[in-house]
Structure formats: C-alpha cells, structure tokens
Amino acid sequence: MRKYHALPVALLAALALTACQDGTGTKDEGAAHPDPASATVTATHPAEDGVGGKGTSGATGTQGTSGATVAEGTSGATGTQPTKGDKSPKGDRAAKGATATRVSCNGSNTTVTAQPVRRPLNHLLLTVKNTGSKMCDLTYYPVLRFDEMQWVPRPIKDSKPQAVTTLAPGESGYAGVSLSAADGSGEWGTTSHKLTVGFQGRTPNSDGGPSALPTLPAKGVYYDSTLTVTYWLRDMDDALTY
C-alpha cells in the first residue's frame, strides 16, 4: 500500500513541479515579450513623430533632419536648391530681356538720309538714326538700288566691323557709298533720282524688314559700274574712309 500511494504522490509531485515550472516559464516569457514589444512601439512611433521634428532614433533622426531641412533649409542640398531656384529664373529672364530689347534696324524704326559729301570725291553718306524705343542692330551692309537697277552694289570687305553695329534709341549709324571712279574708268554711268535702302536680317542676304526711301538731291546723283558700299559702321569718319 505504501508503494501504491508513494507512486501517485511522487507522480503528483512531479506533475506539480512541472506545472510550477511551466507556469514560471510562461510568466518569464510573458515578462520578456512585453518589453521588446513596447520597445518596438516606442521606436516606431517616435520615428513617425520625428517627421514632425521630435525623433531621436537613427531612423527618426534621418526623417527629422529631412523635415527640418525642408522647413529650415539648413542642409547642403537645401542650400544648393534655393541657389538654383533663385539664379536660374533670373538668368533666363535676363537673357530673354536682352533678346526682347534688341531688334533689327529697318525702315519702320529708323530715319535714313542720303547726303553727297565733298570729300572724298563722288561719295554719298548714308545716315540711319534709331527712332524706336528699343536697341536695334544694323547687320552687314545696306542693299542699295538706284532707280530700277538690276544689280546689287558690292560691299567693301575691308570695312567690315568686328562687331554688329548696334544703335540705342536716338543713336545713328553710317555707311559710305562710293558712287563712281574718280578717274572716269567706270562704265554704264547714269544719273539716278531715286534710292531704295534695304536692310538685312540676322543671316546674310535675309530680309531685315521694311526698306527706306531717302530723298536724293534734286539734280540726282551720278553712279557707274564701280559703285560700292561699306558695311554699317558706328563712326561717320570710318564710313567715309573707303
């Protein structure tokens, strides 16, 4: 009987001990799990708060810094972006503004006069005055046509300026016209009473806009086959050098 009773007691003691150990294990595991779980929540939520500027963890710090960067503009990237944002549009506007204020000089925004001069002999001085409100460019050389002539006078290549002659409002540009050979070697000499001055555009021989019809002297001007013209120049003396 003692052996019979001893076995259940021992068995019960073992079961009780196992139950006690299992219970302790459950309690220990239960105590262990809440801490990491709460740590996970703590690490996650501040990271979300860090976008608003509170985070202190590595991930939070990154997001918080990004948030601060956008708001305060203190990072290197932010320092670069505002610079581009500030300068590029201004540069574009400046370029467009410069282009907008430059137009071609032609018969619509200038007055043109044609005046014979004493020196050099057989020369005519063309004067173009900018009467518009914008700067204008006198490109290349004038395209001349006396009466109904069917050929275009040659430009004097040596007179080509280093830069385009640009006129501010009120300024004048010049071109000299060599009408005939001083030694009489020219051919097909004739007297003209009408002159048309054509303007070129941004490319050679392109249309630069309306022509001008300067008044010639009542007696007209004499020209022959040696008729030539200078490029548009800023200085009157330079225009009469050739």
Side-chain angles (χ1 to χ4, degrees):
M1 292 297 291
R2 291 179 180 175
K3 292 183 178 179
Y4 179 82
H5 287 291
L7 289 176
V9 169
L11 181 61
L12 290 174
L15 291 175
L17 178 62
T18 302
C20 187
Q21 289 175 348
D22 289 341
T24 304
T26 303
K27 290 181 181 178
D28 290 342
E29 290 176 0
H33 284 297
D35 288 340
S38 61
T40 302
V41 172
T42 302
T44 302
H45 286 291
E48 294 175 356
D49 293 340
V51 178
K54 292 182 180 180
T56 56
S57 70
T60 303
T62 301
Q63 294 178 352
T65 302
S66 299
T69 297
V70 174
E72 299 176 7
T74 57
S75 72
T78 304
T80 301
Q81 291 176 351
T83 300
K84 292 181 179 180
D86 290 341
K87 289 187 177 180
S88 295
K90 290 181 181 178
D92 293 341
R93 288 195 297 271
K96 291 179 181 179
T99 303
T101 56
R102 294 276 291 278
V103 298
S104 295
C105 300
N106 54 47
S108 68
N109 55 16
T110 64
T111 57
V112 182
T113 59
Q115 180 182 359
V117 295
R118 293 182 179 181
R119 292 287 186 274
L121 294 175
N122 307 329
H123 272 62
L124 187 72
L125 177 67
L126 298 179
T127 303
V128 177
K129 183 177 181 180
N130 183 356
T131 57
S133 59
K134 298 180 180 180
M135 297 181 70
C136 71
D137 292 334
L138 281 171
T139 51
Y140 306 106
Y141 53 87
V143 179
L144 304 182
R145 184 183 186 187
F146 286 96
D147 293 331
E148 301 302 322
M149 66 188 299
Q150 300 300 311
W151 54 283
V152 177
R154 300 185 309 276
I156 301 173
K157 293 183 179 180
D158 290 345
S159 67
K160 185 177 181 179
Q162 294 183 350
V164 174
T165 298
T166 300
L167 306 179
E171 290 185 336
S172 296
Y174 307 90
V177 183
S178 178
L179 295 168
S180 60
D183 60 3
S185 60
E187 299 177 334
W188 318 313
T190 185
T191 299
S192 174
H193 293 87
K194 179 183 178 182
L195 172 61
T196 302
V197 178
F199 297 87
Q200 299 186 61
R202 302 294 178 182
T203 57
N205 302 316
S206 62
D207 185 6
S211 300
L213 299 171
T215 302
L216 294 178
K219 64 178 182 178
V221 295
Y222 178 85
Y223 71 92
D224 62 24
S225 60
T226 64
L227 177 66
T228 55
V229 63
T230 69
Y231 281 75
W232 290 115
L233 302 169
R234 290 192 59 84
D235 188 85
M236 179 177 63
D237 292 335
D238 289 344
L240 294 176
T241 300
Y242 303 92

